Amino acid sequence: MLKDADSVKDLGKMSSVLEDYSPIQIGTSGVLGKRQFTVVGRIQLRYPAGMWNEWYLLFDDGVTSWLGDSSGMYTITAEFKIDPRAATELPVFEHLQPGQNFPINGALYTAAEIRTADCIGGQGELPFKVGEGYQAKVADFRRGTEFITLDYSDSPRPVVYTGLAVTLESMKCQLLRDDDTIQRAAGRYRGKLDALDCPSCGSGIKYIPGVTATLVCPACHAQIDAASPKAAVLAAGERVAAVPMTIELGATAKINNQDFTIIGMMRRADDEGTQWNEYLMYGTRAGFSWLVETDEGWSGANVMADWPVEYSPGAPTVTVDRSQFSRLYDYGSVVTFAAGAFNWRVAAGDRTRVQEFAAGQIRLAAETTEQEMTWSRSTPVPADQLKAWFGDKFKGRVGPAAAKGGKRRYRDTAKYIIWFMLAINAIPLLMNFSGTWFLSLLGAAAIYLPAWFMDNEDKS
């Protein structure tokens, strides 16, 4: 996400990086395609909602790149030599808005993230000197599986980088830090549930060291910086009514042979006041995912790496993986309650614009704030399955009781329609029962049977 300034010959060196939980270190090696690389330097950057590392890579052929490292997500970017005529058409940083399309090198890309970040430290060999007060101004764009970064750090005319998402396994990384090395340096094991006392009220807060940037105290709702060496209060909490949690913070489950822990929960409301709960899960190998609890039931959601290729704001449909999804809803949402740990800064009052699309039981959601846009994919999860995963830590209804909330919603609606129909036809029925009962029965069947079919489709 940062410049590759080959023209800067003086290699700068910095120190005093913030100790973190990244498994990468100076000297880590790997392979991208058939080219071997070595990590020779890094810088750390912080923005209002979190922090990330940029590792400087030197390939055996002398080419350099950057490896972005944020919350266990990794991307490699390299400078792309764009046609000078096309460079004049690149967007102005101040005009960028998440969710809007911009032409870059002959194709439309969707603005995903616009950040101004401060460099807070660095180490090893770097292609430029970074002094106090250095800021990075970067914008990420997505198109299907492609993404582009525009770096405005040094000039209104940006440097263009193309990138791809990677994993440490896919790059066959060696000389990574193991858990014991990280524990000795940072004081705790990465990914293991820990606790600290809230600096504001003293209450205990469970969190996952090294992967959570912000804590929200369940007792006093203070926002706490969990990315610094010493936990510090970012903002005093507002007094809000406690929200009962269907899954307890700290609850663990083994899902698809991977261990997950519930680390955070927030309650959101839409423009009409409808509310729902979202539970943030973390797995050491799987990263972050969500369990969403609504009046219709439960669903599991994951952030998407593959975006719609031809997305445009307000479009009635989007296509992902050759499947077409139709627009369902477009609404604003606000966080009304938050507690636990999150990998970004969250607080009551945070607002997001949400667009939902559906194809069968699969739903896509595009969520847009002033700084970023994300896409997620969700599928239904039966309450019985959640009970099997989390045991006594799951307090929700299961079996027929759980189905009442959402699994019979079409049949329940059909019953209300049928009763209303019978009520307005009560007099004709009494006056000529033998001639009207069959038509009434036929009408009721025409309403109820499709509802029964749709409810059973939702279960499958």
Side-chain angles (χ1 to χ4, degrees):
M1 294 178 67
L2 296 176
K3 61 185 179 182
D4 181 36
D6 287 333
S7 60
V8 181
K9 304 299 182 182
D10 184 10
L11 294 181
K13 291 193 175 183
M14 292 181 62
S15 58
S16 300
V17 296
L18 174 64
E19 184 54 57
D20 60 15
Y21 291 78
S22 176
I24 303 172
Q25 61 184 333
I26 303 296
T28 293
S29 63
V31 178
L32 183 65
K34 296 182 179 180
R35 301 161 59 218
Q36 295 187 346
F37 66 83
T38 302
V39 176
V40 297
R42 76 157 157 175
I43 58 176
Q44 289 179 321
L45 298 109
R46 182 189 292 275
Y47 60 102
M51 184 184 74
W52 83 93
N53 289 308
E54 289 285 343
W55 299 93
Y56 191 51
L57 309 184
L58 177 63
F59 285 84
D60 286 354
D61 57 8
V63 175
T64 58
S65 295
W66 291 94
L67 174 62
D69 172 9
S70 176
S71 297
M73 304 290 289
Y74 303 98
T75 56
I76 284 186
T77 55
E79 185 175 349
F80 178 77
K81 301 297 183 181
I82 193 169
D83 188 305
R85 291 171 296 180
T88 61
E89 301 175 357
L90 293 174
V92 177
F93 184 76
E94 288 72 21
H95 295 170
L96 295 175
Q97 292 184 349
Q100 298 296 314
N101 289 333
F102 296 89
I104 303 175
N105 202 31
L108 284 179
Y109 287 80
T110 303
E113 191 170 349
I114 296 98
R115 298 289 187 201
T116 299
D118 296 316
C119 180
I120 60 172
Q123 66 180 152
E125 296 184 351
L126 297 170
F128 48 81
K129 288 184 178 180
V130 182
E132 184 177 357
Y134 174 78
Q135 282 193 328
K137 297 170 65 176
V138 292
D140 289 341
F141 297 81
R142 305 295 297 267
R143 176 183 169 87
T145 57
E146 305 173 31
F147 73 85
I148 285 179
T149 294
L150 301 185
D151 182 355
Y152 298 81
S153 302
D154 294 328
S155 170
R157 181 175 293 183
V159 179
V160 180
Y161 290 85
T162 56
L164 69 159
V166 294
T167 64
L168 300 182
E169 291 77 13
S170 68
M171 295 186 296
K172 302 177 182 178
C173 285
Q174 299 180 2
L175 300 179
L176 296 169
R177 297 198 301 171
D178 57 26
D179 286 347
D180 288 337
T181 302
I182 294 173
Q183 192 272 335
R184 287 194 297 271
R188 298 180 179 89
Y189 281 108
R190 173 187 172 90
K192 301 292 182 64
L193 191 66
D194 208 327
L196 59 76
D197 293 334
C198 173
S200 181
C201 71
S203 300
I205 309 173
K206 294 180 179 179
Y207 77 115
I208 303 289
V211 297
T212 49
T214 301
L215 308 180
V216 180
C217 177
C220 71
H221 303 286
Q223 293 182 57
I224 302 162
D225 182 3
S228 298
K230 184 177 180 180
V233 176
L234 296 169
E238 297 182 4
R239 291 190 176 275
V240 295
V243 173
M245 297 187 188
T246 308
I247 310 178
E248 296 179 11
L249 293 180
T252 59
K254 185 175 287 294
I255 304 173
N256 296 329
N257 293 321
Q258 297 191 49
D259 294 324
F260 286 87
T261 302
I262 300 293
I263 62 173
M265 178 269 194
M266 63 180 178
R267 188 165 180 82
R268 298 167 68 183
D270 64 15
D271 298 325
E272 298 178 351
T274 301
Q275 299 195 60
W276 66 95
N277 297 334
E278 299 184 0
Y279 296 83
L280 180 60
M281 296 196 304
Y282 176 75
T284 304
R285 289 183 295 155
F288 297 95
S289 57
W290 292 90
L291 290 172
V292 182
E293 177 187 16
T294 71
D295 291 339
E296 296 183 355
W298 289 83
S299 60
N302 290 278
V303 175
M304 295 167 53
D306 186 357
W307 282 34
V309 174
E310 299 294 341
Y311 167 78
S312 60
T317 62
V318 295
T319 301
V320 177
D321 293 336
R322 299 183 180 179
S323 297
Q324 188 175 80
F325 293 78
S326 301
R327 177 186 294 274
L328 282 180
Y329 311 112
D330 187 337
Y331 56 91
S333 77
V334 59
V335 176
T336 61
F337 175 88
F342 301 88
N343 58 326
W344 84 101
R345 191 169 298 175
V346 61
D350 289 350
R351 295 187 175 274
T352 305
R353 194 75 199 173
V354 184
Q355 301 171 70
E356 290 192 36
F357 300 81
Q361 293 195 76
I362 301 176
R363 289 195 180 185
L364 307 183
E367 302 193 27
T368 308
T369 67
E370 292 182 356
Q371 291 78 36
E372 67 177 331
M373 181 184 197
T374 59
W375 281 82
S376 62
R377 187 195 315 262
S378 64
T379 54
V381 179
D384 291 358
Q385 181 63 72
L386 294 171
K387 183 67 175 180
W389 283 339
F390 292 99
D392 293 340
K393 300 296 183 181
F394 178 74
K395 308 299 182 182
R397 296 177 297 180
V398 296
K404 185 178 179 181
K407 298 302 182 184
R408 297 175 55 90
R409 62 187 185 280
Y410 295 112
R411 277 175 282 183
D412 290 341
T413 302
K415 288 178 183 178
Y416 295 140
I417 295 173
I418 291 169
W419 281 113
F420 180 74
M421 181 186 70
L422 293 176
I424 63 176
N425 287 284
I427 293 178
L429 276 171
L430 291 173
M431 298 296 294
N432 187 19
F433 181 79
S434 61
T436 58
W437 73 270
F438 179 77
L439 292 176
S440 298
L441 179 63
L442 189 63
I447 295 171
Y448 188 81
L449 289 178
W452 176 87
F453 177 80
M454 286 187 291
D455 278 338
N456 279 277
E457 279 290 297
D458 277 356
K459 290 181 180 179
S460 60

